[in-house]
Amino acid sequence: MRYHLSLKALLCVTTMLAHALVCQTSVGAEAEISESTIESVKELKQTESVSDVKGKRVKIGLALGGGGTRGAAHIGVLRVLEKEGIPIDYIAGTSIGAIVGGLYCAGASLDDIEKMVEKKTLKHAYFTVPLWFRVAVVPVFFVPRALGYPRYDGLYRGKKFANFLNKSVSAENQKIENFKIPFAAVVASLGDGKSHTITTGSLGRALQASSAIPILRRPVEMNDDLYVDGGIVNNLPVSEVRAMGADLVIAVNVDEKLSGHDMRQLRKIGSVGNRVINMILCRVDSEQIKSADILIHPDVNNIGLLSLDKADAYRAISAGKTAAEAKVEQIKEAMLKFNEPKLDASEKLAPTE
């Protein structure tokens, strides 16, 4: 009887030990699987995070400043960016910057834009008749006023210029909203005195308004407002192109550099007025320059705002190329820096021994 009880107790104890051992093994396996799963999830999450960051290419915006004939430098800058494979995702421009940038976004090739400069078709469309002749017949402009038909001040209306620009691109791309590269033309409102951007509607009208130099050209009626050349309030639209979605903003400033100016050039007719205008533009541009990520500033000194000399235009294009080439490495480094993986603390792997 005692033996039977002892054997029964032994079996009971053995069963309990076996059950405990199975439970312990099961719990241990579950713990091991759980820890392994957690580590795998962490690794997967980290891998996915890095992939996502690498997959997000930096969005580059180009701010093209105003400056008349000096703005031919924008052509040279764009050539270098194309050659180096630096993509442009957004463009905002003022005056000549809007003209070059708008045509480019509308699909016009740089060769076509340069031909407009080379053959002076762009200048002839802007100055439909020689400036001296317009000035000579100024008294005639007062006749409509005398007859009770007042008009806005300006030697040129600009409608032929707008039509020329529209005819320079495909019918589809005569509407800004159809562009593959988002574009904004900067104008100044005579209504509220502020800077505005035109991002939809007729390309020709937008560029006509953005380059409507006061007194020289009549203001343009658009969107229940009256617009003139944006350069008087916002000549280098850095903040505008950043607001469009750009991560990295490249600003192209075509103002003359105030230092190192050849004072003998100021003896030329109109040179003092040109110098004063440039001083004003430099002041207007100073704040926008501070917020640019990359600044390209071609050497366009001694090129007049309204120069009709083909040599000046070519010198500006060459200056644009030279200035852009000097910034290529800086641009590429900025692009790489933006695309570097940035992981949250929770996503970083624990250090291994």
Side-chain angles (χ1 to χ4, degrees), residues 39-58:
E39 289 301 318
S40 297
V41 169
K42 283 184 177 180
E43 290 178 7
L44 180 61
K45 188 176 181 182
Q46 184 188 33
T47 303
E48 289 176 349
S49 177
V50 172
S51 177
D52 288 345
V53 173
K54 287 182 178 179
K56 292 179 182 177
R57 179 179 63 77
V58 58

Side-chain angles (χ1 to χ4, degrees), residues 167-292:
K167 290 178 182 179
S168 300
V169 299
S170 67
E172 180 185 4
N173 284 329
Q174 290 177 11
K175 294 293 185 182
I176 298 174
E177 57 268 30
N178 294 336
F179 294 174
K180 291 182 179 179
I181 301 175
F183 170 72
V186 176
V187 295
S189 166
L190 292 180
D192 60 20
K194 296 179 181 179
S195 168
H196 293 252
T197 55
I198 302 174
T199 56
T200 59
S202 168
L203 171 66
R205 289 280 284 171
L207 302 188
Q208 175 192 356
S210 184
S211 60
I213 300 174
I215 307 302
L216 182 63
R217 304 184 73 81
R218 294 178 188 173
V220 179
E221 289 184 280
M222 291 180 68
N223 306 325
D224 298 322
D225 208 334
L226 201 59
Y227 297 139
V228 295
D229 193 310
I232 63 175
V233 290
N234 187 358
N235 195 50
L236 190 61
V238 173
S239 58
E240 282 68 22
V241 78
R242 196 180 296 281
M244 294 169 73
D247 304 305
L248 181 69
V249 176
I250 302 170
V252 185
N253 177 16
V254 291
D255 295 338
E256 284 187 301
K257 297 176 182 178
L258 293 180
S259 60
H261 189 79
D262 186 356
M263 293 302 162
R264 291 173 297 180
Q265 295 291 328
L266 296 178
R267 294 181 180 274
K268 295 181 178 179
I269 296 176
S271 59
V272 172
N274 184 69
R275 178 67 170 172
V276 170
I277 291 173
N278 191 68
M279 291 166 63
I280 295 171
L281 292 177
C282 286
R283 180 173 290 276
V284 170
D285 294 341
S286 60
E287 288 303 314
Q288 293 277 34
I289 287 173
K290 293 176 184 177
S291 60

Side-chain angles (χ1 to χ4, degrees), residues 139-162:
V140 178
F141 294 162
F142 290 95
V143 173
R145 291 178 181 271
L147 297 176
Y149 297 98
R151 295 177 177 176
Y152 297 120
D153 291 336
L155 299 178
Y156 298 88
R157 289 188 302 172
K159 288 185 177 180
K160 290 183 179 180
F161 183 58

Side-chain angles (χ1 to χ4, degrees), residues 112-161:
D112 289 339
I113 299 173
E114 188 167 335
K115 283 178 183 177
M116 293 180 194
V117 174
E118 178 185 352
K119 296 180 179 180
K120 294 187 177 181
T121 54
L122 189 64
K123 286 289 184 184
H124 290 155
Y126 191 82
F127 296 104
T128 50
V129 297
L131 182 57
W132 65 265
F133 180 79
R134 281 290 188 185
V135 173
V137 298
V138 163
V140 178
F141 294 162
F142 290 95
V143 173
R145 291 178 181 271
L147 297 176
Y149 297 98
R151 295 177 177 176
Y152 297 120
D153 291 336
L155 299 178
Y156 298 88
R157 289 188 302 172
K159 288 185 177 180
K160 290 183 179 180
F161 183 58

Side-chain angles (χ1 to χ4, degrees), residues 26 39 110:
S26 176
E39 289 301 318
L110 292 174

Side-chain angles (χ1 to χ4, degrees), residues 6-51:
S6 298
L7 182 60
K8 187 176 181 179
L10 181 61
L11 287 171
C12 184
V13 170
T14 302
T15 302
M16 291 174 64
L17 288 173
H19 180 70
L21 181 60
V22 170
C23 289
Q24 184 176 3
T25 303
S26 176
V27 171
E30 287 179 1
E32 184 177 351
I33 291 172
S34 178
E35 291 174 1
S36 175
T37 302
I38 291 172
E39 289 301 318
S40 297
V41 169
K42 283 184 177 180
E43 290 178 7
L44 180 61
K45 188 176 181 182
Q46 184 188 33
T47 303
E48 289 176 349
S49 177
V50 172
S51 177

